[in-house]
Amino acid sequence: MLETVAVRERDLGTPASLSTTMIELTIDGQHVVVPEGTSVMRAAALSGINIPKLCASDMLEPFGSCRVCLVEIEGRRGTPASCTTPAEQGMVVTTENERLNKLRKNVVELYVSDHPLDCLMCPANGNCELQDTVGVVGLRNVRYGFEGATHVHESKDTSNPYFTYDSSHCIVCSRCVRACEQVQGTFALTVEGRGFESRIAAGQSDNFIDSDCVSCGACVQACPTSALMENSVIDLGQPEHAVITTCAYCGVGCGFKAEMKGEEVVRMVPWKDGKANRGHSCVKGRFAFGYATHADRILKPMIRKSIQDAWTEVSWEEALNYAASEIRRIQDKYGRDSVGGITSSRCTNEETYLVQKLVRAAFGTNNVDTCARVCHSPTGYGLKQTLGESAGTQTFDSVMHTDVVIVIGANPSDAHPVFASRLKRRIREGARLIIVDPRATELVDSPHIKADYHLPLRPGTNTAMLTALAHVIATEGLIAEEFVRERCEDQSFNDWREFVSRPENSPEATEDITGVAAHLVRGAARLYATGGNGSIYYGLGVTEHSQGSTTVMAIANLAMATGNIGREGVGVNPLRGQNNVQGSCDMGSFPHELPGYRHISNNEARSEFESEWGVTLQPEPGLRIPNMFDAALSGSFKGLYCQGEDIVQSDPDTQHVAAALASMECIIVQDLFLNETAKYAHVFLPGSSFMEKDGTFTNAERRISRVRKVMEPKNGMADWEVTCALSNALGYPMLYKHPREIMDEIARLTPTFTGVSYQRIDELGGSVQWPCNEEAPEGTPTMHIDEFVRGKGKFIITQYVPTDERSTRKFPLLLTTGRILSQYNVGAQTRRTANVAWHKEDILELHPHDAEDRGIRTGDYVAVKSRAGETVLRATVTSRMQPGVVYTTFHFPESGANVVTTDSSDWATNCPEYKVTAVQISKVTSGQVSDWQSRWSRFNEIQQQLLDEARAPEAEETAAVATAPTSQEKKPALSTQN
């Protein structure tokens, strides 16, 4: 079991060898068998012998600079470093004797001579490798350093909000520099100077906040002293125990150790055994966890009759009974289908499963949907049609076996940074890179990464671009004929080949559509088809289009045509945005699908759920989220249960969404904060953070990982318990005692999950990839190995259809949207952390030509106007953009990015076309805001006042407690006389 683990993980010194050839050697008289290529240090550690070290770490390639890990090898002269010496067949190694200990003691004495001897006051006390090494070698006094220059009084760099660099404690082991290079791939740190002047520097002697450092924490984790130390540890002290859990930010699904003192999180440290992240992290998962204890969290249930009324804090029982009575009242008045629910991609699989069960079984309707509607619903549709399964095909590790990577419509450096680090490492090792994106993202050209091809297509032309790539492959004889013949439907392939081979689909013919030179398209197509293992990674720049589903199918076509499916290093890989968006889809959150992607009209599937749940289910699909809004405005949809999603800020055409919510009679919001949606709510049910619940998340590689409770829910109930209580109040019993019982039910009803249980996840090392069943008891890392899930792969014609949303004389520019590294989604979590130090507002990026035409300079405020609405943003002029295209993020509600986006959507799934909005940009005076922003500001102020009125008694009580004399103050003062 992995419930609680040691704070300090054992470090084996050097990375594991991947060789399958075993060798034998003797270390300190012990017979040792290890893979060929294993270092002597690691071989010793695996046999229980710990060789002292300072510069070595099993997260980094061996360096051999500290000279502490010296050993003797029979038949060799000298004392080689054990970290850089490979173990060899028959080798006889001595790790400890008088000679070695004397040499080590002398080396360590030199380190300590230039090190402050303040161990008792040092924040690393109790978790310092230098301190440990001093103890191991038995150093008891220092002969040097009492005279002459030292570094012990150097100043600290406290510029980064999350960690401090204290150069006086630095031993220049270079572990931080190597972690930045090898693990993160940013190359932000360097060793500056030589000899005594050698020090670690961020950039060109910048402080950390102004350097290229992305605050991933790899350097802090690598540091063997307190030179780089988390501010939380400096403030709170060393943690005493740790719990393994899973990050609640993006779809990478990083494993973390929550290191604790009691129920207080001291720090989040990436788990080295985490299969998705391999011990790495980003600034969000590593440091931005403070939102869970932020003062803005609402911890008591609240109700009100109207959104013009103040909130009233009530008991859980009263809130749930009121919510249930309102649902029943609305259904009695307007009909069964007048209500619905929205599941959360931030909540666990178990919680999401319960919400869709609540809607189907307790509400009696299929009006349930999830945020995947507005992000990756085209992935589910497109991959199901072509390959037979609604998910990506590979592990993240697979990228280390690829030879050619296409990244289309994704910016992993910002949105999926831990995966991006692994991708960049593979590119530095020699893999080739093709970027298909309107913007020149960091992967296109940066100091250590350069794409072989950048295809800067016009927004909205993905399908035309992919069809042009396919044209080259089909007409130049680059199709994997044997693979297609054995694995794919003949007729669909022949039809597809005839279609893509037409002259109108050539790169030359589509050049005017995509804006990309034909020779670049041809070069990229040839590289992908002939360069070895070819993989495709894509994001919301593919799915959030009117032809999102078509583009996903075009990607699958391309992979099948080149045989790049069914083995390591290839595949079709959607980069999921939120932590459990894959899981929310798996759990049956769409109105037409039960858990496991089985259609609600399927009698056999439906009968299984009816038997388990004890109800009769409706066979017709319910309303999608956009349909709910339209039905609300027409008067037929009146009640909504929304768990963990801020649809007002995240969905397109904000004014349309707000009007729809304002027309409803009861909105129940379950969340952490009074977000934009909660301002329209009538019932607020306090949510719990990921640190307060048990369950599982499913990441972008179909990996089901445990989420473990590290503290009791501050609101009194975990989210799954709230849903159960609401269902019970509605008269439909949900009597689960623990989330493991919910997962057991999921496994009984979902063929791809039949082998999944908490026990099985623990047995497999903390995670498992579905399908996990009798055919695949240890999960399925790679999909479609011998055959496609649907049997034969199906090619589908992908005719390019121009979007209705196009530039005009009135709106001559195209707006596209995305994310930035330091912020996450609607920002509800990250805006309540120190991440605002890097990004405190949404910025509009535009090309210098477009800026010059409008008299705009960086820092100016500009009005952004579309046919849907208008907002005002600050501008940044950058050549990353192409002329005619502008870009912004959507992390701050006052920015109103989705006030501008329109109701255009994907033809198959209604996924909004966020990536193509025709706009006009014009300079405005500093401080000017749009009419919508003025209305939002007033509305926000009123809603905050109504919340403050409800919380006033609680605030007064807290203030009274804070100012009351303590128990010590009430006692008579102790005598000062001895």
Side-chain angles (χ1 to χ4, degrees), residues 846-854 856 877-881 883:
L846 71 163
H847 189 270
H849 291 173
D850 296 320
E852 184 178 3
D853 289 346
R854 293 161 176 80
I856 296 169
V877 180
T878 171
S879 57
R880 291 176 54 174
M881 303 306 301

Side-chain angles (χ1 to χ4, degrees), residues 397-420:
D397 284 343
S398 174
V399 77
M400 299 308 295
H401 302 277
T402 196
D403 299 306
V404 180
V405 185
I406 295 179
V407 177
I408 176 170
N411 183 11
S413 298
D414 280 357
H416 303 87
V418 171
F419 167 72

Side-chain angles (χ1 to χ4, degrees), residues 328-475:
R328 291 302 187 221
R329 178 189 66 79
I330 290 171
Q331 288 185 308
D332 290 343
K333 183 176 180 181
Y334 299 101
R336 181 193 63 210
D337 294 324
S338 60
V339 298
I342 296 176
T343 73
S344 175
S345 292
R346 292 189 290 129
C347 289
T348 65
N349 286 315
E350 294 78 3
E351 290 161 344
T352 302
Y353 174 85
L354 288 190
V355 172
Q356 64 86 30
K357 179 178 179 178
L358 173 83
V359 174
R360 298 188 200 278
F363 290 9
T365 177
N366 288 319
N367 292 338
V368 63
D369 209 346
T370 188
C371 91
R373 175 66 54 207
V374 300
C375 60
H376 268 286
S377 51
T379 286
Y381 182 86
L383 296 185
K384 188 80 170 180
Q385 299 300 309
T386 51
L387 309 181
E389 194 58 271
S390 301
T393 63
Q394 313 293 127
T395 66
F396 288 133
D397 284 343
S398 174
V399 77
M400 299 308 295
H401 302 277
T402 196
D403 299 306
V404 180
V405 185
I406 295 179
V407 177
I408 176 170
N411 183 11
S413 298
D414 280 357
H416 303 87
V418 171
F419 167 72
S421 294
R422 203 171 307 174
L423 169 62
K424 288 188 281 189
R425 181 172 182 170
R426 180 61 189 142
I427 299 302
R428 292 195 303 272
E429 290 174 351
R432 311 289 291 280
L433 179 62
I434 300 165
I435 301 292
V436 186
D437 200 290
R439 299 169 72 222
T441 63
E442 187 247 5
L443 289 176
V444 170
D445 191 3
S446 58
H448 303 280
I449 296 292
K450 184 175 178 62
D452 293 87
Y453 290 94
H454 176 212
L455 310 182
L457 76 176
R458 293 193 183 103
T461 63
N462 287 332
T463 297
M465 171 59 70
L466 287 163
T467 303
L469 291 169
H471 175 93
V472 177
I473 292 168
T475 59

Side-chain angles (χ1 to χ4, degrees), residues 601-858:
S601 65
N602 183 305
N603 292 333
E604 182 180 352
R606 198 172 64 254
S607 66
E608 292 179 22
F609 286 88
E610 290 176 335
S611 176
E612 177 81 32
W613 294 352
V615 296
T616 300
L617 300 177
Q618 302 302 315
E620 295 297 324
L623 298 175
R624 298 171 174 178
I625 291 175
N627 305 136
M628 293 181 192
F629 297 153
D630 293 341
L633 290 170
S634 68
S636 61
F637 189 82
K638 291 293 185 178
L640 178 67
Y641 173 43
C642 182
Q643 183 195 63
E645 290 295 337
D646 191 356
I647 52 178
V648 172
Q649 188 178 340
S650 64
D651 284 33
D653 199 350
T654 297
Q655 296 178 94
H656 177 74
V657 176
L661 297 188
S663 69
M664 296 187 201
E665 293 185 6
C666 183
I667 295 173
I668 306 162
V669 167
Q670 186 173 333
D671 219 306
L672 302 178
F673 308 104
L674 191 77
N675 59 27
E676 299 306 296
T677 302
K679 293 169 186 174
Y680 291 88
H682 307 88
V683 180
F684 187 94
L685 304 177
S688 53
S689 74
F690 80 107
M691 292 192 287
E692 300 161 74
K693 61 180 70 171
D694 285 295
T696 56
F697 293 151
T698 306
N699 74 349
E701 49 176 4
R702 296 170 284 104
R703 185 178 302 283
I704 308 163
S705 301
R706 279 297 312 276
V707 180
R708 292 181 175 85
K709 182 167 62 176
V710 303
M711 63 178 70
E712 290 301 317
K714 295 186 175 298
N715 61 349
M717 299 176 74
D719 286 332
W720 69 272
E721 295 174 300
V722 175
T723 303
C724 288
L726 177 58
S727 186
N728 295 337
L730 284 161
Y732 180 78
M734 287 190 185
L735 305 176
Y736 308 98
K737 296 177 182 177
H738 191 274
R740 69 169 56 90
E741 297 177 358
I742 307 170
M743 177 53 73
D744 291 343
E745 180 175 313
I746 294 167
R748 287 195 298 272
L749 293 168
T750 311
T752 51
F753 276 67
T754 55
V756 179
S757 67
Y758 288 8
Q759 179 180 347
R760 189 63 177 140
I761 290 173
D762 284 344
E763 290 171 350
L764 294 173
S767 67
V768 63
Q769 289 172 268
W770 66 260
C772 177
N773 45 33
E774 290 183 1
E775 291 76 27
E778 296 189 0
T780 310
T782 302
M783 295 280 284
H784 316 295
I785 292 178
D786 297 316
E787 66 176 1
F788 292 103
V789 171
R790 69 183 308 278
K792 294 281 190 178
K794 183 177 182 179
F795 286 82
I796 295 180
I797 302 298
T798 54
Q799 180 67 53
Y800 169 65
V801 178
T803 172
D804 292 335
E805 187 68 19
R806 61 190 74 180
S807 57
T808 64
R809 181 175 297 179
K810 185 177 181 180
F811 302 116
L813 304 174
L814 293 178
L815 169 71
T816 185
T817 63
R819 295 174 177 171
I820 200 161
L821 172 64
S822 61
Q823 295 294 333
Y824 172 71
N825 214 40
V826 298
Q829 295 152 275
T830 45
R831 283 187 281 108
R832 291 175 170 88
T833 71
N835 280 28
V836 293
W838 291 278
H839 191 78
K840 61 184 179 180
E841 62 180 329
D842 292 315
I843 300 292
L844 186 85
E845 296 182 10
L846 71 163
H847 189 270
H849 291 173
D850 296 320
E852 184 178 3
D853 289 346
R854 293 161 176 80
I856 296 169
R857 296 181 179 180
T858 292

Side-chain angles (χ1 to χ4, degrees), residues 13-211:
T14 60
S17 168
L18 300 179
S19 175
T20 58
T21 302
M22 306 303 289
I23 61 170
E24 301 179 11
L25 69 159
T26 301
I27 303 178
D28 290 347
Q30 291 190 36
H31 178 71
V32 180
V33 180
V34 294
E36 186 178 33
T38 302
S39 71
V40 169
M41 175 181 283
R42 187 179 181 92
L46 290 171
S47 64
I49 300 169
N50 293 315
I51 301 173
K53 58 184 172 54
L54 286 173
C55 73
S57 168
D58 56 16
M59 290 287 291
L60 306 171
E61 295 301 319
F63 195 52
S65 70
C66 74
R67 311 307 298 167
V68 175
C69 70
L70 308 175
V71 295
E72 291 181 352
I73 299 175
E74 190 174 285
R76 293 194 188 183
R77 298 176 58 186
T79 52
S82 61
C83 63
T84 56
T85 303
E88 296 178 3
Q89 178 66 34
M91 182 180 277
V92 178
V93 180
T94 299
T95 72
E96 184 70 33
N97 59 29
E98 184 177 351
R99 176 194 182 207
L100 289 171
N101 196 51
K102 183 177 180 180
L103 288 171
R104 289 174 184 152
K105 186 180 291 187
N106 286 338
V107 170
V108 174
E109 186 178 2
L110 290 170
Y111 279 114
V112 175
S113 70
D114 192 18
H115 198 84
L117 300 180
D118 57 355
C119 289
L120 288 178
M121 305 298 291
C122 178
N125 187 23
N127 190 11
C128 173
E129 293 181 46
L130 179 60
Q131 187 182 60
D132 294 342
T133 305
V134 168
V136 167
V137 303
L139 182 65
R140 297 294 176 259
N141 57 75
V142 179
R143 294 166 291 172
Y144 319 114
F146 297 105
E147 298 177 358
T150 66
H151 299 94
V152 297
H153 300 297
E154 291 187 358
S155 61
K156 301 176 182 179
D157 178 356
T158 60
S159 62
N160 190 289
Y162 291 123
F163 59 82
T164 293
Y165 173 49
D166 184 351
S167 61
S168 69
H169 287 74
C170 178
I171 62 174
V172 200
C173 64
S174 296
R175 273 166 60 166
C176 58
V177 177
R178 291 181 287 137
C180 191
E181 295 174 358
Q182 297 171 26
V183 179
Q184 168 57 31
T186 297
F187 294 81
L189 304 182
T190 188
V191 178
E192 187 178 70
R194 301 182 65 182
F196 180 79
E197 302 300 328
S198 298
R199 305 311 287 162
I200 302 301
Q204 299 297 312
S205 298
D206 297 325
N207 57 31
F208 269 85
I209 197 71
D210 294 326
S211 71

Side-chain angles (χ1 to χ4, degrees), residues 235-273:
D235 294 339
L236 301 173
Q238 288 291 328
E240 60 188 24
H241 69 279
V243 177
I244 300 297
T245 190
T246 302
C247 182
Y249 278 115
C250 79
V252 173
C254 296
F256 271 89
K257 288 196 311 174
E259 297 190 351
M260 316 286 296
K261 293 183 75 172
E263 284 202 350
E264 186 168 27
V265 178
V266 175
R267 62 182 167 195
M268 298 289 286
V269 178
W271 186 33
K272 288 200 294 186
D273 291 334

Side-chain angles (χ1 to χ4, degrees), residues 501-519:
S501 299
R502 295 173 186 171
E504 62 265 29
N505 290 320
S506 70
E508 289 75 17
T510 56
E511 188 171 318
D512 289 341
I513 297 171
T514 65
V516 180
H519 75 276

